[in-house]
Amino acid sequence: MRVAALYDIHGNFPALEAVLTEVDAEGVDAILVGGDIASGPMPVETLAALQSRDAVFVRGNADRVLDFEGGAGGDPEVWRRSRLWVAERLGDAQLRFLAELPLDAVLEVDGFGPVRFCHGSPGSDVETITRLTPDDRLRGLLAGVEERVVVCGHTHVQFDRTLDGIRVVNAGSVGAPYEASPGGYWLLLGPELSFRRTRYDVEAAVEQIRATGYPRAEEIFPDLPIEDPDRPARMSALIEGLP
C-alpha cells in the first residue's frame, strides 16, 4: 500500500485542493488524515473533500473543537470565538465525527510494514515531538510502540529521526506550515519515504481566508507567503521551550 499522509490542514481549503491534485497524480492506495483537519477558515469544504475520498482519519487536538480547556496562544478570547465560529459552520454531526476519531491508526505500507500514524505522539493528540525533542523524553513517548515507523504531526515542521530502532517522521502541515518556503507540506510513503511540498497561490489563499471572517485569520495565516529560512528551527525551539 502507498499512503499519502496529510496533517494539520487547519481548514486551509486552497492548500488542500492543491495537495489533493498532486496526491491524485500519485495514484496512492490510501489517504491518511493526521488531525487538526477543519478547525480553521474553511471547515466545511475541507472536511467534505476528505470524507469524499474515504480517507483514514486520526484525531488532532483542534478536532476537539468545543474543548475550551486551554487556548492555543495569542488572545484566548479570539481563540474561543474561533472555535465557536468553526462549530457553528460544521454542525453537530460533523463535530461528533471529529471528536470521536481514533488517536492512532496502523496501516501496512509497502517497504515499511506496519506504520503507526498519530497526531502528537502515540496515543496522544497533545504531546509534542520535534526534531529537537530530547532522546529521553522521546523514548518515553515511544514506550510500548511495536511498529518500527511512527508518523506524527502537530508541530508543523517536517523531520525524520530514529531512536532505538524506531523511525519517527513528521509529515509537516498542509495548511499552516512552519517551514522555510511557502506551500502545502505532506508525506508520501511506500515503497520509499518522500517529503513533499506542493506549491499553490498562497497570497490568493490568504485573501480568500480573510474574506471568510474567521476570527484568527490575521493571527495564523498572513505569514504563509513569506520565505523564512530560520522558521523551522525557531518554531521547533519555541515548542520545546528552548531559547
Side-chain angles (χ1 to χ4, degrees):
M1 177 183 288
R2 297 175 71 237
V3 177
L6 314 184
Y7 277 64
D8 294 285
I9 301 159
H10 284 285
N12 182 347
F13 185 58
L16 176 63
E17 278 191 304
V19 167
L20 287 175
T21 297
E22 292 199 358
V23 168
D24 288 344
E26 290 289 346
V28 301
D29 301 295
I31 296 173
L32 186 289
V33 183
D36 284 11
I37 302 158
S39 194
M42 302 173 194
V44 175
E45 305 94 313
T46 297
L47 187 53
L50 294 165
Q51 288 174 323
S52 73
R53 304 299 183 100
D54 197 25
V56 178
F57 293 85
V58 300
R59 193 185 75 202
N61 57 300
D63 299 318
R64 295 182 277 111
V65 177
L66 292 178
D67 181 352
F68 297 120
E69 288 303 311
D75 186 329
E77 181 54 33
V78 174
W79 177 83
R80 183 180 177 87
R81 283 197 288 110
S82 296
R83 289 294 183 92
L84 291 170
W85 188 95
V86 169
E88 181 180 356
R89 282 150 182 81
L90 287 174
D92 290 344
Q94 294 290 49
L95 289 172
R96 269 195 311 275
F97 171 82
L98 291 170
E100 293 172 359
L101 291 174
L103 289 171
D104 299 74
V106 177
L107 300 178
E108 193 79 21
V109 181
D110 293 349
F112 295 94
V115 174
R116 180 168 294 273
F117 297 87
C118 55
H119 182 68
S121 64
S124 175
D125 62 9
V126 292
E127 293 286 354
T128 58
I129 302 174
T130 74
R131 60 178 71 182
L132 303 176
T133 299
D135 286 353
D136 286 348
R137 179 171 177 271
L138 180 55
R139 191 171 284 117
L141 294 173
L142 298 175
V145 172
E146 298 180 356
E147 297 78 20
R148 296 297 90 188
V149 180
V150 172
V151 178
C152 63
H154 190 38
T155 54
H156 296 216
V157 177
Q158 292 177 333
F159 65 77
D160 184 355
R161 58 184 292 191
T162 300
L163 179 68
D164 299 339
I166 300 178
R167 189 175 185 181
V168 182
V169 182
N170 191 300
S173 170
V174 170
Y178 300 150
E179 303 285 358
S181 298
Y185 287 76
W186 56 287
L187 178 69
L188 181 63
L189 275 172
E192 299 175 348
L193 185 152
S194 177
F195 286 119
R196 297 300 181 95
R197 174 170 74 99
T198 298
R199 294 170 174 80
Y200 67 103
D201 190 339
V202 182
E203 292 184 353
V206 170
E207 291 308 310
Q208 287 179 260
I209 287 167
R210 285 187 172 120
T212 65
Y214 176 60
R216 293 186 73 200
E218 293 300 328
E219 181 182 337
I220 298 175
F221 297 100
D223 289 346
L224 291 185
I226 297 172
E227 295 274 353
D228 184 353
D230 298 327
R231 184 184 289 135
R234 184 177 69 252
M235 296 306 295
S236 296
L238 179 66
I239 290 165
E240 293 290 345
L242 300 172

